[in-house]
Amino acid sequence: MPKVFIIFYSLYHHVYTLAQHIQKGLESQGVEVELYQVPETLDDAILEKMHAPAKPDVPIITADKLKEADGFLLGLPTRFGIFPAQIKSFLDSTGGLWSTGALAGKFAGTFFSTASQHGGQETTAMTAITYFAHHGINYVPFGFANPHLFDNTEVVGGSPYGAGTVANGDGSRQPSEKELDIAETQGSNFAKLLLTFEKGQSIVTKQEKKTSPVTENGNGQASVQPEIKSKAKKVREESKADKKNKCFCM
């Protein structure tokens, strides 16, 4: 089964709440899920002045651990329409993984929290995509996969880029039932994509084994099947004979 890491920063737990419901969606498809938060960059004195609650009981992620997952869902609170310094600090620490291509071919999605409906949930996604592009990570947008995204009767966070919530400037608004349902849908859909990809890889691998001209000899070394050798030799001989009968003129 694919393994997905949900990685987030959540000062007032809005993003953490979304992460828990995205986890439900992922696990509903049988995917293995692990939750992590990025390291905090503010000291305790500043957090106290900001009236920040205690951090969730979730382990801190390290850059090297990213190699273990098949996909990531990043929970991104916004700061002036982009993600906060804590997320940037963590992503900037992945330079060693970038230099070796360790994350290339993996999958990633995003989800958000903003103070208002116009706080930049989509622009925050776009700033994250640049990191995915440089790593060769496949970005998975959410689309309008949940009908609540069409609801204009009340405030509903989220966008085609991922689930979201609107927290108010003072953080007093908690994620609504509709926003949590959107989060579960995103998790479920992300899991289905990874499962489809995994099955496709398995099928391709089996087909390659059936049709591959390379086999193992008794010593465990690769060798070309005899019939393939014979065909290759015949083609070379025919090519030489053809060249002798041709006149190459300038």
Side-chain angles (χ1 to χ4, degrees), residues 93-116:
S93 73
T94 62
L97 300 176
W98 164 79
S99 66
T100 60
L103 304 183
K106 297 181 185 293
F107 294 85
T110 46
F111 59 101
F112 317 93
S113 176
T114 51
S116 73

Side-chain angles (χ1 to χ4, degrees), residues 83-97:
F83 50 71
Q86 290 85 352
I87 294 290
K88 187 176 192 307
S89 177
F90 172 70
L91 292 176
D92 284 348
S93 73
T94 62
L97 300 176

Side-chain angles (χ1 to χ4, degrees), residues 201-214:
Q201 287 285 89
S202 300
I203 292 169
V204 169
T205 302
K206 289 177 182 177
Q207 289 176 339
E208 286 176 346
K209 286 181 178 178
K210 288 179 181 179
T211 60
S212 174
V214 178

Side-chain angles (χ1 to χ4, degrees), residues 186-198:
Q186 183 178 10
S188 176
N189 286 5
F190 192 82
K192 288 175 184 176
L193 182 136
L194 287 189
L195 289 166
T196 301
F197 178 78
E198 184 185 56

